[in-house]
């Protein structure tokens, strides 16, 4: 017997975007409000998981062809990279810097090197959650 | 970095080149390139002789781990120069010899051989030139490792592997003990520098840790120098190729222990225990080695036991020499440092004659295909040059004039006789044992020397027992032993050649505190004829009785003592090795059950024990309910549901339900965070819980439907007790901590973060600032762990090995 998942499909399409948007908001909010790379990453993973649960793995893989292994690697490299930059600047590993910069349209923005580090964490968390869940889910042995 | 640093590091750098030289320059034997290195180093070190003989020493420092007091400091004095010259000088000859010994380039993996040899050489140079105890230890263990690799060079042979394992187990265990001793020295003196420790020598002797430190260091030295009862590895190490044996067991490796004892004599030498242990163990080894050597049938085994006994002799002399600390040189001390003089002189002599003998044995092995003295004989006429070299070596070892061995043996007798005249440590009565034991051991030494030579070169030639057609060795193989044999004669005829150039500075390094003042020197004069004294009659007695033993060998050969070739101590080693393996297997099986629940039980029991013990010991049970906050109704409801969900889990039989129940616990905890106004934590917990439940459900969906395991009541009760115990301990800790926080105002770490998170890291969200900034390294490593775990899961599932069903 096949279940009719029309309602779930329709709602998922809308909700996933809301969750994704919220997860990105959470990620950027992290420095001053609740959120951050870990939580943002988990929420993104949850949104994508919802997609995988609603539709089947093959369809989603066609639509969002991410390689999660690469994503983990890129995340790790980002995190290491920000740490190494501080070494090159003559400070201990992972020393973070911040500063205020003025951009043409956006105005004055507070930038920190913690952000790329956090982005690394974000990418690794998304990659880890989806890679492990998908490898178990796809396993048909 | 100084030139001396470079000398120590040069072999390690050179070792990198060897594989390339081996691979790309195939026409030339790799050994020719390798020989350049020790030769250069030897010539370089010789330049220091004049300044050292003037009594100058040099010291260079190079920081390594300055915060721990570990610096790569090198120190050049008489003692280290002597060893450096031996290592590089004998090293050159050994490499030259090995070129002809391992000539078959196609069959032998020469690149391995020379890499190990050069690394070994570098490590030995490191041991003798370093001033820092930890650096010495590092190099010391590299010598253990590389010598094991060299011994196991022909690793396809079972005996080679056995020998390598044995030597490594014994010397590394000794090395570790030595490290403990070094640490104790650090505790006492607050420095790892030997020179600085020596300046504090008179203070630390009263320290209660002095004796343990001394014993630990001595164990390291004794295992390395194959002293009784650790000597059993040396005969088995003879499985190595002969050039290696000549190098490791005549000139260098085993002398590392001698070096250490000599180097640390200024630190420990003033203690009577040092005198007793070093000289006692030394003289016992001397006796045991020489007696055991007589019954060996393998030429190399005879030399192995002979090395053991000679090392014992040097060790005993170093011990006896430390008596000089207890006397004023001006009065009677002069006669007691004779022992140290003899030790240094015999060290040089032993390197020359034993090196040449090992090489000679290698030649015999090479040309006849056997080392068994029952098959050999009558080689004198066929191999005249080898026989001459061997004769010089054996006569020197036996202590026959005019060779250098005679001189040091005479001095040994003098030192042993002097021991009886000591008026310290009750030596008046027991001291008599020293000359007697020395005399008996020398008789046996004479006997096995005669045996070694006559059974190989004299008597009847038995070609039918040999697998090869015998002829004289090629000239290349003979150069090195000839050089060493000529040194034996030169040092024998002109002993004072070395007196003030190297022997006296070495003595000054071993006994610095004995010299009265600046510019004072030891009196060194070595000569052959001492007149008709006790030593001369002892030597004559050695010749007579040694010859008697040798002539009566026929009768001896039938006795059980003679037939039992293997040292009985080997059985102890073999049995304890079997026991060690079985014991560790038992412990491992007990501990590593492969069941996660067992590991949890171990961890929890440990936590209960540790925290419970600490709480009882410091008496910090303090339950104070006065300042407890009110429990809100929300919280009460959450906690009740939480408890219900937790208790229900063991009784749920369907696993999907159980997972959901576990999920409920997680979500409720997230709710608790909400109640306590920790949105970050609540958010994280919610998300993690969601992902986890999905993961678990997925995993269990794929697993086959199995029946729930039924447990024995005993198992259930154990787990119940452990879980209740954990809960109790944690609750008590929390309650006590709460109550304590009122009576003992403790600065909370959160204060620091509240104050600084915006100022230092420019972030208002404290949790995130801690995560990415203050404790960024933690986060980084946690993320790394996550990544590794995810890749592990993928590898396990996707790249499953074909053919295995139970993944």
């Amino acid at each position: 017997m096949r279940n009719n998942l029309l309602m779930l499909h329709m709602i998922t399409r809308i909700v996933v975007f809301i969750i994704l948007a919220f997860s990105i908001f959470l990620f950027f909010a992290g420095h001053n409000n609740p959120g951050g790379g870990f939580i943002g990453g988990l929420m993104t993973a949850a949104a994508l998981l919802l997609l995988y649960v609603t539709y089947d793995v093959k369809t989603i893989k066609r639509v969002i062809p991410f390689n999660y292994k690469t994503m983990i690697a890129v995340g790790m490299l980002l995190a290491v990279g920000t740490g190494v930059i501080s070494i090159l600047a003559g400070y201990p590993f992972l020393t973070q810097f911040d500063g205020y910069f003025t951009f043409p349209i956006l105005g004055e923005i507070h930038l920190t090197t913690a952000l790329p580090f956090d982005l690394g964490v974000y990418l690794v968390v998304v990659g880890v959650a989806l890679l492990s869940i998908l490898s178990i889910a796809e396993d048909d042995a | 970095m100084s030139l001396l640093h470079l000398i120590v590091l040069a072999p390690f750098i050179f070792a990198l080149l060897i594989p390339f030289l081996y691979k790309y320059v195939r026409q030339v034997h790799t050994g020719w390139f390798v020989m350049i290195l020790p030769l250069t180093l030897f010539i370089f070190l010789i330049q220091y002789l004049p300044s050292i003989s003037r009594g100058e020493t040099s010291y260079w420092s190079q920081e390594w781990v300055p915060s721990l007091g570990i610096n790569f400091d090198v120190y050049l004095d008489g003692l280290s120069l002597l060893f450096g010259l031996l290592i590089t000088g004998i090293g050159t000859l050994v490499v030259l010899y090995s070129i002809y010994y391992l000539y078959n380039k196609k069959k032998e993996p020469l690149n391995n051989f020379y890499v190990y040899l050069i690394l070994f050489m570098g490590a030995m140079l490191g041991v003798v030139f370093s001033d820092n105890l930890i650096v010495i230890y590092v190099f010391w263990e590299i010598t253990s490792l590389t010598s094991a690799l060299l011994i196991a060079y022909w690793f396809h042979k079972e005996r080679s592997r056995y020998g390598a394992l044995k030597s490594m187990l014994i010397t590394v265990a000794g090395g570790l003990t030595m490290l403990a001793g070094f640490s104790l020295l650090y505790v006492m003196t607050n420095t790892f520098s030997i020179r600085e420790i020596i300046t504090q020598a008179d203070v630390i002797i009263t320290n209660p840790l002095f004796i343990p430190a001394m014993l630990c260091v001595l164990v390291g030295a004794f295992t390395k120098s194959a002293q009784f009862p650790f000597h059993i590895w040396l005969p088995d190490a003879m499985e190595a190729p002969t050039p290696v044996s000549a190098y490791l067991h005549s000139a260098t490796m085993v002398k590392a222990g001698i070096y250490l004892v000599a180097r640390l004599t200024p630190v420990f030498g003033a203690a009577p225990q040092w005198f007793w242990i070093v000289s006692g163990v030394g003289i016992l080894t001397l006796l045991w080695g020489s007696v055991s050597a007589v019954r060996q049938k393998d030429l190399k085994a005879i030399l192995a036991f002979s090395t053991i006994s000679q090392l014992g002799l040097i060790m005993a002399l170093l011990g006896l020499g430390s008596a000089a600390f207890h006397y004023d040189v001006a009065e009677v001390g002069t006669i007691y440092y004779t022992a140290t003089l003899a030790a240094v002189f015999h060290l040089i002599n032993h390197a020359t004659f034993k090196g040449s003998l090992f090489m000679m044995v290698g030649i015999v092995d090479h040309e006849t295909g056997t080392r068994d003295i029952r098959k050999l004989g009558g080689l004198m006429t066929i191999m005249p040059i080898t026989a001459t070299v061997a004769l010089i070596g054996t006569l020197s070892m036996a202590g026959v004039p005019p060779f250098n061995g005679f001189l040091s043996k005479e001095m040994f007798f003098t030192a042993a006789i002097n021991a009886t005249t000591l008026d310290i440590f009750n030596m008046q009565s027991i001291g008599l044992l020293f000359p007697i034991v020395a005399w008996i051991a020398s008789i046996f030494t004479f006997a096995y020397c005669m045996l070694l030579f006559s059974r190989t070169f004299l008597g009847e030639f038995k070609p039918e027992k040999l697998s090869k057609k015998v002829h004289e060795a090629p000239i290349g193989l003979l150069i090195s032993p000839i050089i060493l044999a000529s040194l034996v004669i030169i040092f024998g005829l002109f002993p004072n050649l070395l007196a003030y150039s190297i022997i006296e500075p070495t003595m000054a390094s071993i006994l610095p505190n004995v010299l009265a003042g600046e510019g004072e020197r030891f009196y060194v004069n070595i000569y052959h004829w001492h007149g008709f004294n006790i030593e001369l009659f002892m030597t004559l007695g050695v010749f007579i009785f040694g010859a008697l033993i040798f002539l009566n060998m026929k009768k001896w050969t039938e006795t059980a003592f003679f037939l039992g070739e293997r040292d009985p101590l080997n059985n102890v080693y073999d049995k304890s090795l079997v026991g060690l393996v079985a014991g560790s297997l038992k412990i491992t099986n007990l501990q590593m059950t492969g069941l996660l629940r067992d590991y949890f039980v171990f961890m929890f029991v440990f936590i209960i024990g540790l925290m419970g013990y600490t709480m009882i010991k410091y008496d910090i049970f303090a339950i104070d309910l006065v300042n407890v906050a009110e429990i809100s109704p929300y919280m009460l409801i959450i906690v009740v549901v939480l408890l219900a969900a937790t208790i229900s889990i063991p009784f749920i039989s369907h696993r999907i339900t159980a997972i959901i129940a576990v999920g409920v616990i997680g979500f409720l905890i997230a709710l608790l965070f909400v109640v306590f106004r920790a949105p970050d934590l609540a958010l994280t917990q919610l998300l993690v819980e969601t992902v986890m439940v999905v993961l678990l459900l997925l995993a269990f969906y794929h697993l086959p439907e199995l029946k729930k395991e039924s447990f024995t009541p005993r198992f259930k009760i154990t787990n119940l007790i452990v879980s209740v115990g954990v809960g109790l301990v944690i609750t008590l800790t929390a309650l006590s901590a709460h109550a304590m926080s009122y009576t003992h105002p403790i600065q909370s770490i959160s204060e620091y973060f509240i104050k600084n998170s915006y100022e230092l890291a420019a972030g208002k969200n404290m949790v995130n600032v801690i995560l990415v900034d203050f404790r960024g390294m933690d986060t980084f490593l946690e993320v790394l762990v996550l990544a590794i775990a995810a890749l592990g899961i993928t590898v396990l599932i996707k790249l499953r090995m074909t053919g295995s069903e139970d993944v």
Side-chain angles (χ1 to χ4, degrees):
Chain A
M1 193 188 83
R2 256 184 80 93
N3 292 329
N4 189 356
L5 298 172
L6 190 64
M7 290 289 271
L8 185 60
H9 281 189
M10 287 315 291
I11 293 172
T12 303
R13 280 182 200 185
I14 300 159
V15 164
V16 159
F17 281 101
I18 298 172
I19 303 178
L20 277 178
F22 185 54
S23 74
I24 291 163
F25 166 76
L26 271 182
F27 169 69
F28 282 109
H31 211 53
N32 295 321
N33 293 303
F38 193 74
I39 298 175
L42 273 178
M43 189 155 277
T44 310
L48 294 175
L49 268 183
L50 185 60
L51 276 179
Y52 282 110
V53 171
T54 316
Y55 301 89
D56 60 312
V57 173
K58 268 186 197 148
T59 320
I60 302 302
K61 272 216 159 154
R62 212 174 49 236
V63 181
I64 24 176
F66 285 146
N67 183 349
Y68 296 110
K69 267 172 271 178
T70 321
M71 193 184 264
I72 295 177
V74 170
M76 286 309 301
L77 282 177
L78 254 178
V80 176
T82 46
V84 171
I85 284 170
S86 12
I87 293 187
L88 295 181
Y91 292 93
F93 184 60
L94 277 177
T95 309
Q96 308 287 15
F97 306 97
D98 70 296
Y100 290 86
F101 300 93
T102 318
F103 290 93
I105 302 162
L106 302 163
E108 194 183 53
I109 286 185
H110 182 204
L111 288 181
T112 65
T113 55
L115 191 75
F117 180 75
D118 222 13
L119 186 65
V121 174
Y122 172 88
L123 289 175
V124 173
V125 169
V126 174
V128 165
L130 289 172
L131 184 65
S132 42
I133 289 177
L134 290 184
S135 24
I136 294 173
E138 282 175 12
D139 182 34
D140 45 10
Chain B
M1 291 296 256
S2 68
L3 273 170
L4 206 58
H5 282 106
L6 208 62
I7 287 183
V8 175
L9 294 178
F12 293 96
I13 301 162
F14 195 83
L16 294 175
L17 284 176
I18 291 171
F20 296 103
L21 289 173
Y22 175 72
K23 199 165 173 199
Y24 295 111
V25 194
R26 307 254 346 154
Q27 303 86 347
V28 188
H29 195 285
T30 319
W32 291 112
F33 299 110
V34 177
M35 208 179 93
I36 298 169
L37 179 83
L39 193 62
T40 318
L41 295 183
F42 181 73
I43 293 167
F44 189 80
L45 282 174
I46 280 199
Q47 293 178 10
Y48 285 104
L49 268 177
S51 68
I52 289 292
S53 65
R54 282 195 302 272
E56 294 163 15
T57 59
S58 330
Y59 174 81
W60 291 278
S61 185
Q62 172 68 42
E63 283 200 342
W64 185 18
V65 194
S67 56
L68 294 176
I70 299 169
N71 296 317
F72 186 14
D73 300 341
V74 287
Y75 184 55
L76 188 75
D77 64 350
L79 185 60
S80 50
L81 183 66
L82 170 63
F83 273 87
L85 287 173
L86 282 180
I87 293 162
T88 50
I90 306 270
T92 312
L93 296 177
V94 163
V95 173
L96 176 66
Y97 178 77
S98 73
I99 293 170
Y100 292 94
Y101 193 82
L102 302 168
Y103 58 88
N104 193 341
K105 212 177 155 176
K106 290 206 181 73
K107 250 168 67 185
E108 303 280 357
L110 287 176
N111 49 344
N112 293 353
F113 178 78
Y114 285 115
V115 168
Y116 300 157
L117 196 72
I118 286 290
L119 286 180
F120 177 79
M121 189 183 290
M124 277 305 298
L125 288 172
V127 167
V128 300
F129 284 121
S130 303
D131 181 53
N132 195 287
L133 287 175
I134 296 297
V135 179
I136 287 185
Y137 171 74
V138 170
F139 282 119
W140 183 276
E141 294 297 35
I142 297 176
T143 65
S144 296
L145 289 176
T146 45
S147 65
L149 285 171
L150 282 169
I151 294 166
Y153 173 63
W154 286 319
F155 55 84
H156 48 84
K157 286 202 268 179
E158 200 269 331
R159 295 293 309 165
S160 296
R161 296 198 303 271
Y162 174 82
L165 182 69
K166 198 176 192 177
S167 83
M168 190 152 96
L169 279 179
I170 293 178
T171 53
V172 169
L176 278 175
T177 320
M178 187 180 81
L179 180 64
F182 287 170
S183 311
L184 288 177
L185 274 178
Y186 183 78
V187 170
M188 286 187 279
T189 60
N190 217 18
T191 175
F192 280 124
S193 163
I194 295 176
R195 290 184 330 139
E196 284 174 33
I197 291 172
I198 290 173
T199 59
Q200 302 182 34
D202 45 345
V203 186
I204 58 173
I205 194 162
T206 53
N207 196 306
L209 291 175
F210 181 78
I211 299 295
M214 187 183 91
L215 292 176
C216 287
V217 170
L218 278 179
V219 168
F222 287 164
T223 48
K224 199 67 151 187
S225 276
Q227 298 295 295
F228 185 87
F230 306 113
H231 65 277
I232 49 170
W233 66 265
L234 204 132
D236 284 300
M238 290 297 142
E239 293 300 325
T242 304
V244 172
S245 307
Y247 195 39
L248 266 65
H249 307 303
S250 73
T252 57
M253 155 118 166
V254 289
K255 290 205 170 126
I258 304 275
Y259 168 79
L260 193 76
V261 167
R263 177 55 87 202
L264 294 178
T265 298
V267 179
F268 295 113
Q273 290 88 345
W274 176 269
F275 174 85
W276 276 117
I277 297 171
V278 176
S279 58
V281 169
I283 203 120
L284 190 61
T285 312
L286 167 67
L287 183 65
W288 187 272
S290 61
V291 172
S292 302
V294 178
R295 57 185 192 179
Q296 300 302 315
K297 283 101 196 169
D298 183 344
L299 283 178
K300 255 176 136 180
I302 297 177
L303 286 183
F305 277 104
S306 132
T307 303
I308 292 171
S309 90
Q310 300 283 318
L311 289 170
L313 191 154
I314 300 173
M315 201 61 99
L317 284 172
L318 283 174
L320 290 174
S322 76
F325 279 104
H326 301 273
Y327 294 96
D328 200 349
V329 180
E331 296 167 30
V332 283
T334 334
I335 61 166
Y336 298 113
Y337 67 65
T338 318
T340 310
L341 171 62
V344 176
F345 191 42
H346 196 69
L347 188 77
I348 302 168
N349 296 339
H350 180 241
T352 53
F353 68 68
K354 192 55 70 63
S356 73
L357 282 177
F358 263 116
M359 289 175 184
M360 179 278 292
V361 166
I363 291 171
V364 170
D365 187 12
H366 215 256
E367 300 305 322
T368 63
T370 182
R371 297 193 307 252
D372 194 326
I373 52 171
R374 286 165 297 195
K375 293 183 188 165
L376 291 167
L379 294 177
M380 176 92 111
T381 47
I382 308 165
M383 306 168 77
I385 305 174
T386 316
T388 315
V389 170
L391 187 66
I392 295 168
T394 36
L395 287 182
S396 177
M397 185 156 74
V400 176
F403 303 108
N404 57 6
F406 165 74
L407 296 168
S408 42
K409 181 142 294 183
E410 287 283 282
M411 283 195 279
F412 170 53
F413 283 154
T414 313
I417 294 163
N418 285 343
T420 57
T421 63
L422 288 174
D423 48 5
I424 44 168
F425 332 130
N426 298 322
M427 277 301 279
Q428 299 89 331
S429 46
I430 315 171
L432 200 61
L433 277 175
F434 276 92
I436 294 174
V437 173
W439 190 64
I440 296 172
S442 299
I443 291 173
F444 279 97
T445 307
F446 188 81
Y448 73 69
C449 288
M450 293 299 103
L451 196 71
L452 184 74
F453 184 76
S454 67
R455 286 294 151 90
T456 316
F457 295 102
L458 303 177
E460 179 194 352
F461 181 51
K462 295 165 251 181
E464 71 281 356
K465 288 187 178 172
L466 305 175
S467 53
K468 286 184 178 174
K469 194 170 176 333
V470 184
H471 49 78
E472 180 61 280
I475 186 69
L477 214 49
L478 286 167
I479 297 172
S480 300
I482 289 174
I483 292 174
L484 285 172
S486 28
L487 284 178
V488 168
I489 299 173
I490 292 169
F491 293 159
L493 295 179
F494 311 102
N496 288 314
L497 202 65
L498 301 168
Y500 282 95
S501 57
I502 188 74
I503 294 179
E504 198 280 336
T506 308
M507 288 173 67
S509 322
I510 301 175
L511 304 169
N513 317 15
V514 174
L515 290 174
E518 202 69 20
E520 184 130 356
R521 312 204 70 176
F522 287 108
Y523 173 71
V524 179
N525 189 16
I526 307 164
Y527 48 95
H528 284 89
W529 182 247
H530 296 258
F532 291 100
N533 54 8
I534 313 174
E535 289 93 318
L536 184 71
F537 291 111
M538 280 171 82
T539 308
L540 288 176
V542 165
F543 293 165
I544 293 163
F545 283 96
L548 277 179
I549 290 181
F550 171 66
L551 293 174
N552 290 313
M553 275 311 273
K554 283 247 152 52
K555 287 176 204 159
W556 281 60
T557 45
E558 299 306 315
T559 55
F561 166 77
F562 186 77
L563 293 172
E565 203 174 323
R566 225 168 123 73
D567 210 306
L569 280 164
N570 278 313
N571 296 334
V572 179
Y573 168 81
D574 290 339
K575 286 220 174 78
S576 51
L577 192 65
V578 171
L580 187 74
V581 171
S584 3
L585 210 64
K586 221 175 248 175
I587 293 173
T588 315
N589 285 341
L590 207 67
Q591 187 199 350
M592 307 295 283
T593 54
L595 296 171
L596 196 58
R597 57 176 182 239
D598 284 347
Y599 300 154
F600 273 122
V601 167
F602 296 146
M603 281 189 245
F604 285 139
V605 167
F606 183 72
I607 288 171
I608 297 171
L610 193 70
M611 295 190 71
Y613 171 78
T614 318
M615 288 178 82
I616 290 166
K617 181 158 188 220
Y618 295 100
D619 192 27
I620 45 172
F621 290 109
I623 294 166
D624 178 12
L625 296 175
V626 178
N627 291 310
V628 173
E630 259 181 64
I631 301 173
S632 66
Y634 309 111
M635 225 172 339
L636 209 60
I637 296 166
I638 291 170
V639 168
V640 168
V641 181
L642 196 65
L643 280 177
T646 315
I647 291 169
S648 68
I649 288 172
F651 301 101
I652 295 170
S653 56
H654 196 260
R655 56 190 185 197
I656 301 293
T657 327
I659 292 167
I660 291 170
V662 173
V664 167
I665 299 173
F667 288 122
L668 285 172
I669 288 174
L671 265 184
L672 270 182
F673 287 139
V674 172
V675 173
F676 281 115
R677 294 185 199 87
D680 268 89
L681 291 179
L683 207 53
T684 316
Q685 176 77 20
L686 268 176
L687 288 164
V688 168
E689 207 55 45
T690 316
V691 174
M692 281 312 287
V693 169
V694 172
L695 235 174
L696 279 174
L697 284 175
L698 261 174
F700 278 88
Y701 175 78
H702 284 283
L703 288 177
E705 197 70 39
L706 293 173
K707 259 203 205 154
K708 205 178 168 192
E709 200 179 342
S710 59
F711 298 108
T712 58
R714 205 180 133 201
F715 175 82
K716 285 183 182 170
I717 288 169
T718 322
N719 279 7
L720 188 71
I721 293 171
V722 171
S723 55
V724 169
V726 172
L728 207 65
V729 165
I730 300 293
T731 314
L732 278 175
T733 313
L735 284 176
S736 306
H738 176 76
M740 285 283 185
S741 67
Y742 288 95
T743 49
H744 299 73
I746 299 157
Q747 176 89 35
S748 165
I749 52 162
S750 58
E751 309 261 315
Y752 172 81
F753 292 118
I754 290 169
K755 222 180 275 169
N756 293 313
S757 70
Y758 191 74
E759 276 162 33
L760 291 182
K764 287 180 194 135
N765 178 3
M766 221 170 73
V767 177
N768 207 45
V769 163
I770 293 172
L771 280 179
V772 299
D773 197 327
F774 288 118
R775 308 213 56 84
M777 192 72 183
D778 285 2
T779 313
F780 173 66
L781 293 177
E782 274 160 25
V783 169
L784 184 67
V785 169
L786 272 183
I788 291 169
L791 292 178
I793 293 171
T794 325
V795 169
L796 277 179
I797 290 174
K798 296 236 162 135
L799 308 175
R800 175 178 353 213
M801 289 227 257
T802 46
S804 76
E805 298 291 319
D806 51 6
V807 178

